[in-house]
């Protein structure tokens, strides 16, 4: 009976997360923000939300990148507070969340090193949630094997390196392939972890992760049109824990253009909606935006059940989406492009 | 009731007016405040049902509006209504003044942070509030506060920065000295490098010249540092770790850390580059390592001299910093209260609407009927203080909405009133359950 003993170890943190979730900006807040004319006005509005004096305590000039950094810092503080107080298996779960950022950081550093950029310049651009000690030394590796055996073997990413070890030299293409292979292993590992815990966790997290897996498959396919990544190579990169496995993935590996991808998506009702042609109206959304929307929808469902870890994952993802929204609005405000300002993705409808 | 309540009591401008939470009531509510009736006993009648409250329209002359509202605030008499509900927060008339006050508050926060960080001996608890509590400042007094606070903040920032950089330099020099003293035992006991070159056994090798990298690393990072070095440069380097005797201050966080000295001996240029990159990765501090003993003695002597110099400059800087901080501690509480009051007054002025001729501000407020003479005298006092010839006056209006409920409270009855209000606030002139609660509560819970 998981519900009876859940609160012993994890009740405080779940309560904390639900409290923080109540502070996520609502439709009214976005409406107010969209009406601002300058970043100073946005700062004033953000003071009345849960963000409080976040922006007003800094001494530097208010720019969009400063806003972005402060919001991210806020998220990292909240996450560290949760992580330091967590007991297993929640601590393992939270660590899993950080691995995706670690993979992104590693690939960022590798591509930066290839372009001869200074490590000190790249480090601030890494996501703080995915920081680990040996991060800055990633630039000295020449091949994925070297990367693994010298640097990453002591980090948590070592477990995802099964298929990714290869002798080919690291270049831009290789870095992307490495990213996708690591991510595939990570998603499958995360999925089986959630399935093993079972119960409400499985019901909430598995659909989210399956959606993530299918989304990666679609994006990889669409992005590989025009590059020399063959279908066979592509199919090695598709995560196999999604709904598309195995027939959809096989069809996707054979797809050569956008129409064929759309045909594959038509077989699955959720993805049919995403790939539908939009009506010729002004609020045209890109494919990425539609994937984000669907992700937000799935994540908000996590809060309807209690006594599971999915709330932590969903909170992090929704907070990230909120950061993206605020930065989008800030960009529109600074560049005075008010026409597109309503292209953010609202999260909770909120009550007035 | 703590000292914070004391401050907020003076800063807000209302009586403890409580509103019915129903539709149709205006939403704005000034922060409620306890009126300390002191020795005056609350009349039983108005505690039982609300005091009579009426709607008054105040005509505040433009010149003396600030002072009148300040007087009303000191007395804590009225609750203002928002006459500009459709105007955005940053389109109101006095938003510039409010922003000015907020900028000042930002400076004060910085000053407080510096005080908490660097004052020695450190303060026990927060800064004490000023007594007697100062009034809201006049415009030119506000300008003085602005100038002085900015000057103080600027000076503090500069001196702080100097002190921090001096401290960082001192730490670095001490680390270098530690490196030299600790690694002396390592290299003195090893065989001298020329043995490798002179034998001719390594004729086909290009760079057998032994190079050193010496530095300090944070002790928590030593295991992963060592492991990474071994994995990346296996067989081509020799690493040694020694702990330093005295803890030194970490430049970033300010805590005392017992650094670990390391000495890496390697041969080969490429290995050298790898080693340097790895050292950078773990944020170690590396120093130039002298090859010969004479060089080493020379560097050590130079270091000792510089350390002494820096220590004396540092002590002087510290003394000056403490002086500045003591000055800040003396004036900061007063400034804070005054700026808080000024901001509150400006926010109330934002609620008023300017008249057609722009000569006076019109405000609407709820005032207890019994206090109307006090209201008039407050307005007269405000007009007198600002030195204007024309008096501000008020006009009693009939109100369509029922007035807010007002119970005169003292520190004893306030607690019970709070408990009752948690269930729901009584409407105007409704019987107040708090009276019965005061009687029955002790019997229910205390006996």
């Amino acid at each position: 009976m998981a519900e009876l003993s859940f609160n012993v170890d994890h009740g405080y943190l779940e309560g904390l997360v639900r409290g923080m979730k109540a502070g996520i900006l609502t439709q009214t807040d976005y409406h107010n923000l969209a009406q601002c004319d300058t970043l100073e006005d946005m700062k004033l509005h953000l003071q009345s939300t849960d963000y409080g004096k976040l922006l007003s305590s800094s001494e530097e000039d208010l720019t969009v990148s400063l806003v972005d950094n402060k919001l991210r810092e806020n998220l990292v503080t909240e996450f560290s507070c949760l992580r330091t107080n967590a007991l297993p298996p929640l601590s393992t779960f939270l660590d899993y969340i950080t691995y995706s950022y670690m993979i992104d950081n590693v690939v960022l550093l590798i591509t930066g090193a290839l372009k001869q950029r200074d490590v000190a310049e790249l480090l601030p651009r890494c996501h703080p949630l995915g920081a680990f000690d040996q991060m800055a030394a990633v630039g000295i590796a020449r091949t994925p094997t070297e990367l693994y055996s010298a640097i990453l073997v002591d980090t948590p990413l070592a477990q995802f390196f099964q298929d990714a070890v290869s002798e080919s030299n690291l270049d831009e293409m290789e870095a992307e392939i490495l990213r996708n292979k690591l991510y595939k292993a990570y998603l499958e590992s995360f999925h089986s972890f959630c399935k093993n815990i079972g119960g409400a966790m499985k019901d909430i997290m598995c659909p989210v992760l399956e959606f993530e897996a299918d989304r990666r498959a679609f994006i990889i396919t669409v992005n590989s049109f025009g590059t020399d990544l063959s279908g066979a190579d592509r199919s090695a990169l598709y995560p196999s824990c999604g709904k598309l496995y195995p027939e959809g993935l096989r069809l996707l590996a054979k797809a050569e253009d956008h129409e064929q991808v759309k045909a594959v998506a038509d077989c699955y009702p959720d993805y049919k909606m995403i790939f539908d042609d939009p009506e010729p109206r002004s609020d045209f959304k890109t494919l990425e935006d539609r994937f984000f929307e669907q992700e937000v929808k799935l994540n908000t469902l996590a809060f309807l059940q209690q006594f599971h870890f999915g709330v932590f994952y969903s909170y992090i993802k929704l907070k990230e989406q909120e950061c993206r929204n605020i930065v989008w609005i800030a960009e529109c405000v600074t560049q005075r492009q008010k026409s597109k300002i309503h292209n953010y993705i609202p999260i909770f409808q909120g009550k007035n | 009731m703590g000292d914070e309540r004391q401050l907020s009591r003076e800063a807000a401008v209302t009586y403890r007016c409580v509103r019915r939470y129903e539709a149709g009531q205006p939403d704005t509510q000034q922060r409620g405040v306890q009126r300390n009736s002191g020795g005056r006993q609350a009349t039983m009648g108005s505690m039982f049902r609300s005091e009579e409250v009426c709607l008054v329209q105040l005509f505040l002359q433009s010149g003396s509006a600030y002072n009148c509202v300040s007087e009303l605030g000191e007395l804590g008499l009225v609750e203002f209504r928002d006459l500009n509900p459709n105007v955005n927060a940053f389109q109101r008339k006095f938003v510039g003044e409010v922003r000015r006050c907020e900028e000042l508050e930002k400076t004060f926060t910085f000053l407080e942070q510096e005080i908490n960080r660097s004052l020695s001996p450190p303060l026990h608890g927060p800064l004490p509030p000023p007594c007697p509590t100062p009034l809201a400042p006049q415009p030119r007094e506000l300008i003085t506060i602005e100038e002085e606070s900015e000057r103080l903040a600027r000076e503090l920032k500069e001196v702080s920065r100097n002190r921090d950089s001096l401290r960082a330099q001192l730490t670095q020099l001490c680390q270098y000295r530690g490196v030299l003293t600790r690694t002396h035992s390592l290299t003195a006991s090893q065989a001298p490098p020329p043995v490798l070159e002179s034998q001719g056994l390594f004729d086909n090798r290009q760079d057998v010249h032994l190079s050193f990298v010496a530095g300090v690393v944070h002790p928590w990072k030593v295991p992963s540092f060592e492991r990474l070095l071994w994995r990346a440069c296996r067989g081509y380097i020799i690493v040694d770790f020694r702990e330093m005797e005295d803890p030194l201050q970490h430049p970033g966080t300010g805590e005392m850390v017992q650094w670990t000295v390391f000495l890496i001996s390697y041969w080969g240029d490429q290995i050298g580059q790898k080693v340097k990159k790895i050292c950078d990765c773990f944020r170690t501090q590396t120093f130039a390592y002298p090859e010969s003993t004479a060089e080493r003695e020379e560097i050590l002597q130079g270091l000792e001299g510089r350390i002494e110099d820096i220590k004396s400059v540092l002590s002087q800087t510290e003394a000056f910093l403490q002086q500045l901080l003591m000055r800040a501690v003396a004036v900061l509480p007063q400034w804070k209260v005054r700026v808080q009051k000024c901001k509150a007054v400006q926010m109330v002025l934002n609620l008023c609407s300017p008249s057609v001729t722009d000569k006076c501000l019109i405000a609407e407020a709820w005032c207890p009927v019994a206090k109307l003479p006090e209201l008039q005298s407050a307005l007269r006092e405000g007009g007198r203080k600002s030195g204007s010839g024309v008096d501000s006056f008020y006009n009693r209006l009939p109100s369509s909405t029922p007035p807010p409920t007002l119970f005169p409270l003292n520190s004893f009855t306030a607690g019970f009133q709070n408990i009752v209000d948690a269930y729901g606030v009584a409407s105007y002139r409704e019987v107040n359950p708090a009276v019965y609660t005061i009687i029955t509560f002790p019997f229910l819970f205390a006996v």
Side-chain angles (χ1 to χ4, degrees), chain A residues 45 56 140 149-150 153-154, chain B residues 90 99 106 227-228 231 277:
Chain A
H45 267 310
S56 45
I140 64 175
S149 57
V153 67
D154 292 322
Chain B
F90 31 82
R99 282 231 182 104
K106 209 159 77 162
R227 216 176 304 146
L228 184 56
R231 285 191 206 275
K277 272 203 189 146

Side-chain angles (χ1 to χ4, degrees), chain B residues 230-353:
Chain B
W230 182 74
R231 285 191 206 275
C233 322
R234 200 178 310 205
Y236 288 95
I237 62 171
I238 303 174
V239 194
D240 262 305
F241 290 96
R242 290 281 168 87
E243 269 204 17
M244 275 182 52
E245 296 114 357
D246 316 308
L248 291 170
Q249 208 182 36
H250 189 287
T253 58
E255 54 184 48
M256 303 301 274
V257 173
Q258 200 156 10
W259 299 90
T260 306
V261 170
F262 64 88
L263 180 68
I264 305 177
S265 355
Y266 63 92
W267 48 101
D269 241 349
Q270 280 202 350
I271 296 290
Q273 281 181 8
K274 266 195 189 172
V275 164
K276 289 209 175 58
K277 272 203 189 146
I278 295 177
C279 288
D280 285 334
C281 161
F282 281 88
R283 271 171 245 205
T284 62
Q285 189 73 254
T286 47
F287 304 105
Y289 194 72
E291 301 283 339
S292 65
T293 329
E295 218 180 306
R296 190 182 148 274
E297 292 294 327
E298 209 182 298
I299 296 184
L300 254 182
Q301 267 185 359
L303 278 181
E304 296 281 350
R306 277 171 68 192
I307 289 178
E308 289 308 317
D309 288 337
I310 287 197
K311 275 194 178 156
S312 67
V313 176
L314 189 60
S315 59
Q316 280 177 3
T317 321
E318 281 270 6
F320 186 49
L321 182 68
Q322 295 303 322
Q323 253 186 9
L324 282 179
L325 286 174
M326 292 311 292
R327 209 167 75 192
V329 166
V331 287
L332 194 58
Q334 262 222 2
W335 284 351
K336 272 174 75 169
V337 170
R338 302 186 81 181
V339 169
Q340 224 172 340
K341 286 193 178 178
C342 179
K343 185 168 162 193
V345 172
Q346 299 292 355
M347 287 176 73
V348 166
L349 288 178
N350 270 339
L351 302 176
C352 312
S353 72

Side-chain angles (χ1 to χ4, degrees), chain B residues 78-191:
Chain B
V78 300
E79 175 176 337
F80 283 88
R81 260 168 91 159
D82 187 9
L83 293 175
N84 312 318
N86 302 323
V87 181
N88 252 327
F90 31 82
Q91 285 165 358
R92 298 202 182 212
K93 197 160 170 228
F94 294 94
V95 69
E97 304 288 322
V98 176
R99 282 231 182 104
R100 226 170 122 198
C101 293
E102 278 178 359
E103 290 286 330
L104 273 174
E105 283 184 338
K106 209 159 77 162
T107 320
F108 295 158
T109 334
F110 167 72
L111 286 175
E112 225 177 311
Q113 269 175 1
E114 281 297 314
I115 289 176
N116 286 335
R117 189 161 76 106
S118 316
L119 186 67
S120 82
L123 285 178
H124 300 290
L127 284 168
C131 64
T133 331
L135 301 170
Q138 301 295 326
R140 49 180 187 288
E141 290 171 352
L142 193 67
I143 295 180
T144 334
I145 294 183
E146 253 180 358
E147 279 174 7
E148 278 190 25
S149 67
E150 260 181 60
R151 188 158 35 116
L152 193 56
R154 221 183 8 238
E155 280 182 16
L156 252 182
K157 212 191 303 202
E158 215 182 293
V159 177
S160 244
R161 207 185 11 226
N162 284 344
R163 198 242 346 220
D164 288 338
S165 81
L166 281 174
R167 269 210 190 143
Q169 276 182 30
L170 182 64
T171 314
Q172 227 186 23
L173 291 174
C174 288
Q175 283 172 347
Y176 199 179
R177 182 177 62 179
V179 164
L180 289 179
T181 41
R182 301 294 283 165
T183 55
H184 179 57
S185 43
L186 287 171
T187 41
S189 57
Q190 282 176 8

